Amino acid sequence: MEIKLASHEHSMGYHCLDDETDDKWCEKCTAKICGAAYACVRCELWLHELCAKAIQYLPREITHPLHSHHHLMLDWSGPAAPFTCDLCLKISSGTNYRCCRCPFEFDLVCAFASSDDHVASKKRQRSNADRKQTMRHYCHIHPLVLYKYSNEGEHDYNCRWCDKPLTGIFYGCKSCGFFLHEFCSDKIPKTLNHPFHPSHPLRLDFVDATCNACTQRISMSKAFSTAAYGCQICNFNLDFGCAKLLPTLKHEGHNHCLTYVGPTFRDPVLKYHFQCSSCRELCLDTFYRCVQCDLNLHLKCVPVPPLAKHRYHRHPLLLNQPIREDEVGEYYCDICEKERDPTHEVYYCQKCTYIAHIECVLNQVRPVLHKHPLKFCEVTENLGERVCKACRLELSGPGYICKGCRYILHENCAKLPDEIQHPLHPQHHLNLYATSLDRDICDNCRDFYSGFIYLCEQCGFKLDLKCATRAPSESGRTTLKESERETELFHFTHKHKLLFCNFTDPVAETRCNLCQLQIFGPAYHCTRCGWVLHESCLRLPQEMQVPFHSQHTLTLSYTRYGGCHACALKLLPSGYHKRYNYGCKDCGVNYHIACAISLTRPLKLDSHMHHLYYFGTDFDRFFAMYRDFINIYAQLFCSHCGEICSGQSFYRCLECFINFHVECVSLPQIIKSKCHIHPLTLKDSYIEDDSEEHYCDACEERRHPNHHVYYCEECPGIFVAHIDCALSKEEEVVSFLVPREMKKRIPRERKKRMSLTRGI
């Protein structure tokens, strides 16, 4: 008896498991399976019978009219953690549909409801006739009761979101002192891109943690009744009030902008716990704070001068206590023309009632790029790694250097503007961030970066320096190959959607989760859990057959222990994620991925009784990684000359467990083959063009561009063939076979003749 899930590509067979002997766990509820179950043995997917039937008809991917710019993916794995439906705003748990590109979730009821139903529901909620007397809001744990403004006490409270006095219709929880304007209840975002933590978005949730801004325990405030914004990856949290703080003052002695902390900052007693980082006295009044560095400064220690001059105003400006201009309740800065907090100190002109934010008057200095002084001088080799910290490109010639910590900047990178307006993001300014953030993807070119960036602090839009300093037409150009590439896809090794990106940093190292080799160039990455694959590894088949093990199919899966049957080296240790290898489930033999690929093309020569298998560039890179990180004593030697095989391609006999350099196999240098009219010459590699697709003209199958081939020199680029394909149709040997005593001399002579050959 079988069942077919709409969200899984294979049918699942029925099983009945014994609790004592079988050790299987349900992928949906994560509980151990005892009794009836369904399983896809091919993918090692097990589900309770009830869990399988509960999701049987749910499609893997849907498009919803209220979130039409991204697909929504079915998420039923793991424990039933509570979440907030982004449509009905109800707290739900269990199976849901979520967007893999942005933090957006639907429960099943909302996912399959029509858009007309939701529009009608929204209109009914807004009408006075149908206005609810109580509401459940996702930011507060208690029900919020409908109130109408009166002069009997409610006016003593401000709206917890906009901090303005309560007027008209509002909702609130009197026991917690939590109130929201009716029009503010829909404005509270569930995810927040905050400048205090620009590396990841913060999600609104009920957490038991410490607020990084005010250092107070969130669960201790108001009986844990109001949600907070947090990043689970970094354990960074902001309570509901502190999430509205913003860094505004650029200080010449500090990397980050400073945040003004006014008299309404959290608990009035709490501010006494902060100590000025300059004078070491307690901050008993207003002060500036850097949340990222836990740095606090009195206004006099910043310093904020009592008298200042600004280019937009002809009179001197005095530092003044908070000013309320009138009773209208709207207060604005005369420099930036944005609303200001009437409880904050300001700069004030007594002659013409000119009022401005402190930061608007003082923000005329450049941000510091490095904590130590930088000296302009010539960069020498004894500095070691000469990579600019801003653009991540190698530096030659003069630059700005901190010799104490080997911090290097190009001359142009040291003079970057601290703020730009870019055509790719015209709605907001982008600010220069010189401090190291977690590696992320540029929103334009999809490159991973770890250098300086330009960041929009309002919506999290990011540009690396390459895209920020180029014209949009320049930075947006793509080749035909790039335009045809899929930007997002699923792979059978991972349950989340993978997004296309580029790894171009010459220093930062990232390894593929399949082959474990370093990635440099195009790849596919999971933004949710960091899973990353080479673009070429996506083409690895889930199942394959090789001539050496033709009786059974080899399956790509992760193996817990054992050794490789091809190279005789151990499989990767447990520290390398899931250790994917090719293995035969019937015989129990396993192969490294690089070794399994080497077994696809056997070569039979008269000089040896068994088939020989070509181990080329991929195995050489894998073997180098194996020796560096796993076993420095691992070596492979040529059975003909006795020299080490690592660092170059070689042939291996899997029955005799012996190796031969390509030169020691005595392959004919020139042959006449039936597959082509002209003689073919042996080359150590041949790259036809930049298409990244290379084929054998004899068998019309893919070939590796850095592997040995037979090549026609009379019609360049027209005919290239695998060695085994060319030799299988060989008519006669035109050149002599390589004798043993000439083995070391031939590579040097060959390099002079191979003008079309490109190195690895």
Side-chain angles (χ1 to χ4, degrees):
M1 184 170 61
E2 291 186 344
I3 190 174
K4 181 66 176 69
L5 301 185
S7 59
H8 191 67
E9 56 186 326
H10 306 134
S11 296
M12 303 180 70
Y14 181 84
H15 298 264
C16 189
L17 303 183
D18 187 350
D19 185 37
E20 297 181 358
T21 59
D22 296 304
D23 189 18
K24 301 296 181 182
W25 301 81
C26 178
E27 289 287 336
K28 183 179 186 298
C29 65
T30 70
K32 188 175 182 180
I33 297 178
C34 177
Y38 285 94
C40 175
V41 180
R42 185 177 182 181
C43 301
E44 298 184 359
L45 173 66
W46 289 82
L47 293 171
H48 286 112
E49 181 181 18
L50 292 178
C51 292
K53 291 183 177 180
I55 61 173
Q56 180 178 2
Y57 301 106
L58 297 179
R60 181 181 189 177
E61 182 178 282
I62 65 172
T63 301
H64 199 280
L66 297 186
H67 194 71
S68 57
H69 53 292
H70 295 144
H71 294 295
L72 301 179
M73 309 308 304
L74 178 66
D75 187 2
W76 48 261
S77 60
F83 68 94
T84 304
C85 174
D86 287 282
L87 194 58
C88 67
L89 308 181
K90 294 179 180 178
I91 298 177
S92 305
S93 61
T95 305
N96 63 85
Y97 281 89
R98 65 174 57 195
C99 178
C100 67
R101 301 290 297 274
C102 56
F104 200 89
E105 297 174 271
F106 280 166
D107 58 30
L108 294 183
V109 175
C110 293
F112 294 101
S114 66
S115 58
D116 292 337
D117 293 338
H118 296 303
V119 171
S121 176
K122 291 287 184 181
K123 289 182 178 179
R124 286 196 302 270
Q125 291 177 9
R126 296 295 180 268
S127 65
N128 291 332
D130 295 334
R131 183 177 282 120
K132 295 181 179 180
Q133 297 302 308
T134 61
M135 68 176 293
R136 282 280 186 180
H137 199 277
Y138 51 87
C139 72
H140 196 71
I141 200 169
H142 303 138
L144 301 183
V145 180
L146 181 68
Y147 291 95
K148 188 174 181 180
Y149 176 75
S150 66
N151 294 324
E152 298 179 359
E154 284 82 11
H155 65 280
D156 295 331
Y157 294 101
N158 288 343
C159 172
R160 286 293 295 274
W161 179 246
C162 68
D163 289 326
K164 292 183 178 180
L166 297 171
T167 57
I169 300 296
F170 59 92
Y171 287 90
C173 174
K174 273 195 171 182
S175 61
C176 301
F178 183 90
F179 295 93
L180 292 174
H181 289 122
E182 185 184 28
F183 51 82
C184 286
S185 63
D186 291 339
K187 296 180 180 179
I188 302 172
K190 292 184 180 179
T191 57
L192 193 64
N193 293 295
H194 204 285
F196 288 165
H197 190 71
S199 52
H200 302 113
L202 305 181
R203 187 169 180 82
L204 190 64
D205 201 357
F206 294 93
V207 296
D208 183 8
T210 300
C211 174
N212 289 73
C214 66
T215 70
Q216 185 177 357
R217 195 74 182 173
I218 296 175
S219 61
M220 300 301 178
S221 61
K222 298 297 181 183
F224 191 37
S225 58
T226 304
Y229 288 94
C231 172
Q232 294 181 350
I233 300 175
C234 307
N235 194 26
F236 183 92
N237 299 281
L238 295 175
D239 64 38
F240 195 76
C242 292
K244 293 176 289 184
L245 295 174
L246 292 174
T248 54
L249 180 64
K250 299 175 184 177
H251 192 276
E252 61 181 2
H254 193 66
N255 289 342
H256 305 126
C257 290
L258 304 179
T259 302
Y260 181 90
V261 178
T264 58
F265 180 65
R266 300 292 300 157
D267 191 330
V269 179
L270 180 67
K271 62 183 179 183
Y272 299 153
H273 298 166
F274 290 103
Q275 186 182 55
C276 178
S277 302
S278 177
C279 66
R280 301 300 175 186
E281 295 181 2
L282 292 179
C283 298
L284 302 178
D285 208 337
T286 55
F287 60 98
Y288 276 94
R289 172 169 171 78
C290 175
V291 173
Q292 293 97 314
C293 304
D294 193 20
L295 176 140
N296 309 295
L297 292 171
H298 292 114
L299 268 65
K300 64 179 181 181
C301 296
V302 170
V304 177
L307 187 67
K309 183 73 177 172
H310 194 272
R311 62 180 182 272
Y312 289 170
H313 193 67
R314 63 184 183 275
H315 302 139
L317 301 174
L318 299 174
L319 183 63
N320 207 81
Q321 294 299 316
I323 295 177
R324 296 180 182 268
E325 300 169 83
D326 49 44
E327 297 180 357
V328 177
E330 295 182 354
Y331 311 95
Y332 291 90
C333 168
D334 291 316
I335 293 179
C336 67
E337 297 183 352
K338 294 181 180 179
E339 196 168 2
R340 64 177 181 84
D341 192 323
T343 64
H344 289 189
E345 292 173 85
V346 292
Y347 274 106
Y348 174 67
C349 176
Q350 293 179 326
K351 294 183 178 180
C352 49
T353 62
Y354 187 90
I355 302 174
H357 291 120
I358 293 176
E359 56 270 16
C360 289
V361 175
L362 299 183
N363 278 349
Q364 302 180 77
V365 295
R366 176 171 171 75
V368 175
L369 301 181
H370 187 57
K371 59 184 177 181
H372 303 141
L374 298 177
K375 184 179 180 181
F376 185 74
C377 60
E378 193 75 23
V379 178
T380 58
E381 293 184 359
N382 58 8
L383 286 174
E385 182 184 287
R386 293 177 295 173
V387 176
C388 174
K389 295 295 183 182
C391 64
R392 308 300 296 165
L393 298 177
E394 189 173 359
L395 187 142
S396 60
Y400 286 91
I401 304 172
C402 173
K403 293 186 177 180
C405 52
R406 298 187 177 183
Y407 188 95
I408 303 174
L409 292 176
H410 286 108
E411 182 179 4
N412 290 337
C413 293
K415 300 176 181 179
L416 291 167
D418 59 310
E419 184 179 85
I420 63 171
Q421 185 80 41
H422 202 278
L424 292 175
H425 194 70
Q427 59 268 40
H428 301 129
H429 290 285
L430 303 180
N431 297 325
L432 178 67
Y433 268 74
T435 54
S436 297
L437 304 175
D438 291 342
R439 296 179 67 195
D440 209 336
I441 302 176
C442 171
D443 287 317
N444 180 49
C445 66
R446 308 300 300 167
D447 282 0
F448 259 65
Y449 61 81
S450 55
F452 289 9
I453 64 165
Y454 278 97
L455 171 72
C456 174
E457 297 181 350
Q458 298 186 49
C459 57
F461 180 83
K462 301 173 289 291
L463 290 179
D464 59 18
L465 290 194
K466 174 179 81 281
C467 294
T469 54
R470 289 179 182 174
S473 57
E474 244 185 290
S475 60
R477 286 176 187 158
T478 58
T479 63
L480 179 61
K481 173 71 176 176
E482 291 172 337
S483 63
E484 295 175 349
R485 182 180 279 125
E486 291 186 75
T487 57
E488 52 184 49
L489 50 78
F490 279 100
H491 195 260
F492 61 86
T493 60
H494 196 60
K495 62 182 179 180
H496 302 144
K497 184 172 284 188
L498 304 180
L499 305 180
F500 173 76
C501 61
N502 286 298
F503 288 82
T504 57
D505 195 304
V507 179
E509 185 176 290
T510 302
R511 294 190 176 274
C512 173
N513 284 93
L514 271 185
C515 67
Q516 302 302 328
L517 297 178
Q518 185 175 351
I519 297 177
F520 190 84
Y524 283 85
H525 176 261
C526 176
T527 57
R528 294 179 62 181
C529 56
W531 186 268
V532 59
L533 300 177
H534 282 112
E535 185 179 32
S536 58
C537 286
L538 290 174
R539 295 193 291 265
L540 290 174
Q542 189 171 2
E543 293 181 344
M544 66 183 299
Q545 280 192 312
V546 295
F548 182 74
H549 194 80
S550 58
Q551 64 271 34
H552 299 128
T553 299
L554 301 182
T555 303
L556 184 62
S557 60
Y558 58 91
T559 314
R560 296 183 180 180
Y561 53 85
C564 176
H565 197 64
C567 66
L569 299 174
K570 291 183 179 180
L571 301 179
L572 298 179
S574 58
Y576 281 80
H577 302 281
K578 288 188 175 182
R579 302 173 295 169
Y580 275 87
N581 301 282
Y582 278 102
C584 176
K585 295 182 179 179
D586 298 313
C587 304
V589 296
N590 297 295
Y591 301 92
H592 295 122
I593 291 177
C595 294
I597 300 301
S598 301
L599 304 182
T600 56
R601 309 202 66 84
L603 176 66
K604 186 66 182 73
L605 296 176
D606 295 336
S607 58
H608 191 73
M609 66 184 73
H610 304 130
H611 284 99
L612 301 179
Y613 295 90
Y614 182 90
F615 285 71
T617 303
D618 288 340
F619 179 81
D620 184 57
R621 292 173 59 210
F622 170 79
F623 187 70
M625 181 271 297
Y626 190 97
R627 293 191 68 248
D628 290 342
F629 297 103
I630 301 170
N631 185 0
I632 61 174
Y633 301 105
Q635 295 286 6
L636 294 174
F637 295 92
C638 177
S639 298
H640 181 75
C641 65
E643 295 185 5
I644 296 175
C645 289
S646 59
Q648 54 188 303
S649 302
F650 64 95
Y651 278 97
R652 179 172 176 81
C653 175
L654 301 189
E655 298 185 54
C656 303
F657 294 105
I658 57 176
N659 313 300
F660 300 97
H661 292 111
V662 175
E663 292 82 2
C664 293
V665 172
S666 299
L667 293 174
Q669 181 66 27
I670 300 176
I671 65 170
K672 187 68 176 71
S673 177
K674 293 180 180 179
C675 60
H676 191 63
I677 189 172
H678 301 135
L680 303 178
T681 304
L682 183 65
K683 299 285 186 180
D684 59 5
S685 65
Y686 183 73
I687 300 177
E688 300 175 58
D689 48 42
D690 296 330
S691 66
E692 301 179 12
E693 294 183 355
H694 308 275
Y695 291 90
C696 169
D697 293 307
C699 66
E700 297 185 352
E701 294 182 4
R702 281 183 178 270
R703 65 174 183 85
H704 198 295
N706 295 321
H707 286 182
H708 285 74
V709 292
Y710 275 106
Y711 168 76
C712 179
E713 293 185 333
E714 295 188 38
C715 42
I718 301 299
F719 190 89
V720 184
H722 292 120
I723 290 178
D724 54 292
C725 291
L727 291 180
S728 65
K729 300 178 181 180
E730 180 186 5
E731 292 180 350
E732 57 178 316
V733 177
V734 179
S735 68
F736 56 85
L737 300 183
V738 182
R740 176 171 181 168
E741 59 271 14
M742 293 187 65
K743 179 257 173 185
K744 295 182 181 178
R745 188 170 69 251
I746 283 180
R748 291 194 296 271
E749 296 174 354
R750 180 178 299 167
K751 289 178 182 177
K752 297 178 182 178
R753 298 194 298 268
M754 296 182 180
S755 59
L756 294 175
T757 301
R758 291 171 60 180
I760 296 175

